[in-house]
Amino acid sequence: MVKTVTLPLRIEPSLGQTLQEQIYFCIRRSIVEGLLPTDSRLPSTRTLAVDLGVSRTTVLLAVQQLKAEGYLVPG
């Protein structure tokens, strides 16, 4: 059974990185550090966007980059 995970994402507009970069790096770090089990599912991009208070496009671009680099697989 595949479970949707809750991500420890926190973004700060003043960090000197774009919101997209912050989302990308937070998710990537969670994957690399083993905080996301390999059989887990991320929340939908719509849910992440609402939870983070950002545009869905911002989340989509971060997720697309993670998929392109092999960190995420389509599911």
Side-chain angles (χ1 to χ4, degrees):
M1 180 176 181
V2 177
K3 288 189 162 189
T4 301
V5 296
T6 302
L7 293 174
L9 290 178
R10 192 170 132 201
I11 55 175
E12 299 283 336
S14 62
L15 280 182
Q17 293 177 314
T18 66
L19 297 175
Q20 177 187 332
E21 290 171 331
Q22 290 181 60
I23 294 165
Y24 164 83
F25 285 118
C26 284
I27 295 173
R28 190 183 82 170
R29 183 176 53 245
S30 294
I31 294 168
V32 171
E33 292 178 359
L35 300 173
L36 289 175
T38 56
D39 62 344
S40 62
R41 177 182 291 218
L42 290 178
S44 72
T45 55
R46 290 183 201 281
T47 299
L48 282 174
V50 169
D51 290 348
L52 295 171
V54 300
S55 126
R56 181 171 176 242
T57 301
T58 300
V59 176
L60 277 171
L61 291 171
V63 168
Q64 287 174 346
Q65 184 176 353
L66 289 160
K67 286 179 182 176
E69 294 177 4
Y71 289 103
L72 298 176
V73 294

